[in-house]
Amino acid sequence: MSAAALIFALLGLAVAAFLVARARAAAFAGRRVFASAADRISSIHSRPAYHGWYVALWALVPALILVLGWSLVGEGIVADRTIASLPAESRPQTALDRQAFLAEVRGVVSGQLAGAFNPSADAAVPVYRSIKTQWSLVIAGLAALLAASGGGFAWLRVRPHFRARPRVERFVMVVLVLSSLVSILTTFGIVLSLIYESIEFFRRVSPFEFLFGTNWSPQTAIRADQVGSTGAFGAVPLFWGTIFIGAIIAMIVAIPLGLMSAIYLTQYAKPRSRRIMKPMLEVLAGVPTVVYGYFAALTVAPAVRDFALSIGISNASSESALAAGVVMGIMIIPFVSSMADDSITAVPAAMRDGSLAMGATTSETIKRVLIPAALPGIVGGVLLAVSRAIGETMIVVMAAGLAANLTANPFQSVTTVTAQIVQLLTGDQEFDSAKTLSAFALGLVLFAVTLCLNIYALSVVKRYREAYE
């Protein structure tokens, strides 16, 4: 029996335990025949549903932990037992041989391969299948035993004055705490992995060269006598390209358009127009970035090049920072507009009405009352848009190119940190080379920049929120 089938079976048992326990708890309340419905419920400590959940959790959770644990370690145990049962001369000797051997065996067992290329792997298929079946039956039996034992234990505790509700709520609280810890632990794991790999990179490359060098050419040679065997890892062109495209050109497009659209939709548009235009604007946020990339590469980039040639710029590239930045700005307009819209709408109506009552016009009220009061949300939306822009990859790869140029000419090709990370980790790479490890160093810098943006956003929001509260 597969792990998925076993989990569905356990869920079915848990549902049955819930229904039976709830019916039993309801029977306790129903013994007072001539009492009102409220008095019947008050005759037991917890409502029948809590008793049902208590029994269902005891029937499900221990068995589910066993099944999930087996799904993590089961394949390794079955593989070890299979290899141990083979003759010594048929066993794989190295880790790569073992990996290839088990891949063939599992492919034949699952039906993806008609037969194994290795005769030893072909002979190990029935052994693997037999051991896996035996262990699956053992785990299924243990899971059923745990479900029955846990459910029976909880069933015996279902009494009129049993405190089922605090126990169920405590379990829910533990689940919520663990769920909140997942994001924190994930962040720590990402940071630790980035730091570890970055330390390995900086053992090969000087941090000063990486942070302040202006030549980026990470193509290291296989042999020491080849040209460019040491590579060049000056990341300043990448940092500048990220800022130039994501934080300058894209923001020049997104901030005015997003803010003005939010002001129009909240202050000037009629309710019917708002109901139509706001969803149409937010549709932009759901368009895949690869579609924006095609639009930038096939439509915007040629138009930008033709415009540059028409004004006398002869060295304009077909892949330019301006084309990528404009399309990226269009992509993040909904982020700015939505946050600004929500922030302006959340401003108390008394502030707007008081300004108008003092004789201010609508435009004066917007500039001097609504925008300052909604500034924390607007700043948050802008910083969210910046974080989104500096993490964009597809538009840059398709419209701005991969050339690490340190230039302020928007008609030239530039690249960003994220585009280089993709290029460095694509294909068959050696993960102990400076070229591949540089991707982790770039990721660490990108993470630090995003963290600083978030801290600055919180400080701005806190400062202005205190001023208006």
Side-chain angles (χ1 to χ4, degrees):
M1 179 181 293
S2 64
L6 192 55
I7 290 174
F8 278 113
L10 292 175
L11 290 175
L13 290 175
V15 171
F18 171 82
L19 296 175
V20 173
R22 187 182 65 175
R24 184 183 185 186
F28 292 147
R31 289 177 180 175
R32 299 175 62 182
V33 179
F34 299 102
S36 64
D39 292 336
R40 292 179 185 179
I41 295 298
S42 63
S43 64
I44 60 176
H45 177 273
S46 304
R47 291 182 178 273
Y50 285 103
H51 290 274
W53 279 112
Y54 181 76
V55 176
L57 290 174
W58 268 102
L60 175 64
V61 173
L64 187 61
I65 292 175
L66 174 66
V67 173
L68 293 178
W70 170 252
S71 65
L72 294 176
V73 303
E75 286 294 332
I77 294 176
V78 173
D80 292 340
R81 292 297 182 90
T82 302
I83 293 176
S85 65
L86 297 176
E89 62 275 7
S90 300
R91 299 174 187 174
Q93 301 301 320
T94 64
L96 292 176
D97 293 341
R98 174 188 171 93
Q99 184 177 1
F101 178 85
L102 292 175
E104 287 192 64
V105 173
R106 288 166 182 160
V108 175
V109 171
S110 63
Q112 296 178 354
L113 297 177
F117 299 99
N118 188 346
S120 299
D122 208 7
V125 168
V127 179
Y128 182 91
R129 185 181 288 113
S130 176
I131 294 176
K132 186 174 183 179
T133 301
Q134 292 175 4
W135 275 99
S136 298
L137 293 176
V138 170
I139 296 300
L142 290 176
L145 180 62
L146 283 175
S149 302
F153 169 77
W155 171 266
L156 294 176
R157 304 189 70 182
V158 177
R159 294 288 186 270
H161 299 290
F162 177 68
R163 297 176 177 270
R165 185 184 68 185
R167 289 169 170 81
V168 173
E169 291 179 347
R170 191 178 303 117
F171 175 82
V172 173
M173 180 63 68
V174 171
V175 172
L176 294 176
V177 171
L178 293 177
S179 300
S180 63
L181 288 176
V182 169
S183 59
I184 299 175
L185 295 177
T186 301
T187 303
F188 274 111
I190 293 173
V191 173
L192 291 177
S193 64
L194 289 176
I195 292 176
Y196 175 78
E197 300 294 346
S198 298
I199 291 174
E200 294 295 324
F201 170 73
F202 288 126
R203 288 176 179 174
R204 297 169 170 84
V205 178
S206 170
F208 185 84
E209 177 191 353
F210 177 75
L211 295 175
F212 301 102
T214 58
N215 184 17
W216 177 262
S217 179
Q219 301 298 330
T220 57
I222 299 175
R223 300 191 312 272
D225 59 344
Q226 287 181 310
V227 177
S229 59
T230 58
F233 296 93
V236 170
L238 309 186
F239 301 151
W240 167 247
T242 303
I243 296 172
F244 191 37
I245 294 177
I248 297 178
I249 299 177
M251 291 302 106
I252 291 175
V253 175
I255 292 176
L257 294 179
L259 185 57
M260 287 188 291
S261 63
I263 292 173
Y264 172 76
L265 291 174
T266 56
Q267 302 301 317
Y268 294 103
K270 296 180 180 179
R272 181 178 179 182
S273 300
R274 175 181 170 84
R275 287 195 300 267
I276 297 174
M277 297 179 65
K278 186 173 175 60
M280 293 177 62
L281 179 63
E282 293 180 348
V283 164
L284 292 174
V287 177
T289 56
V290 67
V291 176
Y292 282 111
Y294 277 119
F295 173 67
L298 301 179
T299 304
V300 179
V304 169
R305 182 193 57 196
D306 295 340
F307 171 74
L309 294 176
S310 67
I311 61 175
I313 301 177
S314 59
N315 60 345
S317 175
S318 59
E319 296 176 333
S320 62
L322 183 60
V326 168
V327 176
M328 194 179 297
I330 295 173
M331 180 188 68
I332 60 180
I333 285 175
F335 291 92
V336 179
S337 176
S338 179
M339 292 292 292
D341 190 318
D342 295 339
S343 301
I344 294 174
T345 305
V347 175
M351 297 180 66
R352 180 178 184 274
D353 295 340
S355 176
L356 296 174
M358 294 292 292
T361 63
T362 302
S363 61
E364 292 173 339
T365 300
I366 293 171
K367 289 185 294 184
R368 300 186 179 184
V369 178
L370 297 181
I371 297 300
L375 190 60
I378 295 173
V379 171
V382 170
L383 292 175
L384 176 64
V386 172
S387 300
R388 177 70 179 85
I390 65 177
E392 175 55 37
T393 305
M394 290 303 301
I395 295 176
V396 178
V397 172
M398 301 178 70
L402 297 173
N405 295 324
L406 185 59
T407 177
N409 185 356
F411 299 103
Q412 289 294 317
S413 175
V414 296
T415 189
T416 62
V417 171
T418 54
Q420 285 297 313
I421 291 175
V422 172
Q423 185 184 24
L424 292 170
L425 297 179
T426 302
D428 296 332
Q429 303 290 344
E430 297 180 359
F431 276 85
D432 58 347
S433 66
K435 174 185 175 182
T436 306
L437 292 174
S438 63
F440 295 94
L442 292 173
L444 182 62
V445 173
L446 190 65
F447 176 83
V449 170
T450 306
L451 181 62
C452 292
L453 282 175
N454 291 336
I455 294 175
Y456 178 71
L458 290 175
S459 65
V460 171
V461 170
K462 182 179 179 180
R463 182 167 64 249
Y464 281 94
R465 182 175 294 168
E466 290 175 351
Y468 284 100
E469 282 181 348

